[in-house]
Amino acid sequence: MLGTLRKAFERTIIGDSVPALVRWGKHVPRSVIRGIQEDGFRDLIRYAAARQKFFARKLREKGIDPSHVRRPEDLGDIFTTPEDLRNLPAEDFLCRKPHLVFETTGTSGGPKRVYFTYDELEFTARYEAAAMYENGVRPGDRVVCTFDAGYWISSWVTFCACKRLEVFCSAIGKPHPREAYSRMGLYRYNVIAADPTWLVSLSEIAEKEGTFPVKLILAAGDRMTDVYREYVESIWKCPVILGYGSTEQGGGAGMECQRRDGIHLDEYNFWFEILEPDAEGYGELVVTTLSRRTMPLIRYRVHDVTRWIEDPCPCGATIRRVARIKGRRDEMVVMGAGNMYPEIFERVLHDVAGISENWQVAARQEGLHDILEFRLELSNGISTGTVEQKVRENLKARFPDVWANQDCGMYRLAFRFLPPGSLSQGRKPKRLVDERNS
Ligand SMILES: [Zn+2]
């Protein structure tokens, strides 16, 4: 019933208005949000059981009657995985004729393909527009979006969101930062949407050659460390807001608010679970797409590791928050140093002078000892001793727990220095590898 009610409400009260969607969506009581989710979930399960070969097969294998499924846990260990998307034909997931396809590549294997209709792209963009509106984007603003285009979705979602908001928008793929910088004045861009490392490069140009009046920066894509964020904010003197999403999630699945303390997730269009949380609550994010009908994903294992922030946000929004993504489950290496994620080493290495962008950290084993080996390319003739000293200092200062485990003899640090170009790794380099027992 709620599904029908929601639809009627959205049509008659909210219509196409993004401000109304924000006003309505921000303060919905939790019990109503949960009702909308449960209703959407039941609808989706019935729909997909009848139309999606993959899901119907899973139900049959597990002997589950879809009419009895009310909540994700009723599906037991039925999940959809990135490997399923990669290895099975699209027809196994498609429930109706698509208009659009986007791809995403992981750290290993071929691309995953996700199909949509135009309506679904516009619908996603509506919620993306709401998040942008909540963060201060208004008619009259001028947005430059440099999310990678090609077969990726985020540039299109941002473009369609800007269309909804009726703001000027250049979605230009991912050019060299200098190309965008050279047009900042000409087109009077005051909102930038881009990947974190691209923003750092743009900011380095602006630091030397001057900035422009920018009121808001939206970042998504690769990881934004606190150090990157503080640097970019200090150059442009405006907030950097993080978005969260992926092609499988149809672009945006959540965004920070101006408090910048956790990501508000779009609980109207997704049901999120956190699987097997550890003592601190961190576990793998699992998502069900409640609103899509072309290629819905049921309990999709995103592999991102995060935890719920249970306290209500001071911004007043009732949709829940998760902590910043800690890493990808398939990139985590459990070893003597602790639970290691690539992000740890990004934070240790980003300001070490004299090494190239290509680096890798390996967990190895020597006899009974775990070794954490930094493989670094020297870029400007700096001495290996200086680099090693700086890496040790950063690790000790930024990750005292990891450092302490070394003092306790739980692992040893090692360094290997290589000539430039030795570690060149392509679009999504594998930053952290586990080479024990191999
Ligand atoms: Zn908030």
Side-chain angles (χ1 to χ4, degrees), residues 324-340:
R324 289 252 299 275
I325 302 303
K326 191 170 170 177
R328 292 180 56 81
R329 195 198 56 132
D330 54 356
E331 289 174 344
M332 183 180 81
V333 173
V334 182
M335 62 169 299
N339 291 354
M340 297 289 102

Side-chain angles (χ1 to χ4, degrees), residues 157-209:
V157 171
T158 308
F159 176 80
C160 293
C162 287
K163 182 180 144 198
R164 281 267 173 190
L165 290 164
E166 296 183 10
V167 300
F168 184 89
C169 173
S170 303
I172 52 174
K174 198 174 184 176
H176 190 282
R178 182 158 288 287
E179 274 197 58
Y181 180 81
S182 70
R183 292 166 175 84
M184 289 290 296
L186 174 65
Y187 296 126
R188 290 176 285 116
Y189 298 127
N190 67 342
V191 176
I192 305 172
D195 289 338
T197 45
W198 190 94
L199 279 170
V200 170
S201 304
L202 179 76
S203 305
E204 282 171 342
I205 298 170
E207 185 177 21
K208 288 194 199 84
E209 301 177 24

Side-chain angles (χ1 to χ4, degrees), residues 257 259 264 313-317 321:
C257 63
R259 308 279 167 161
H264 285 284
C313 185
C315 79
R321 291 173 295 162

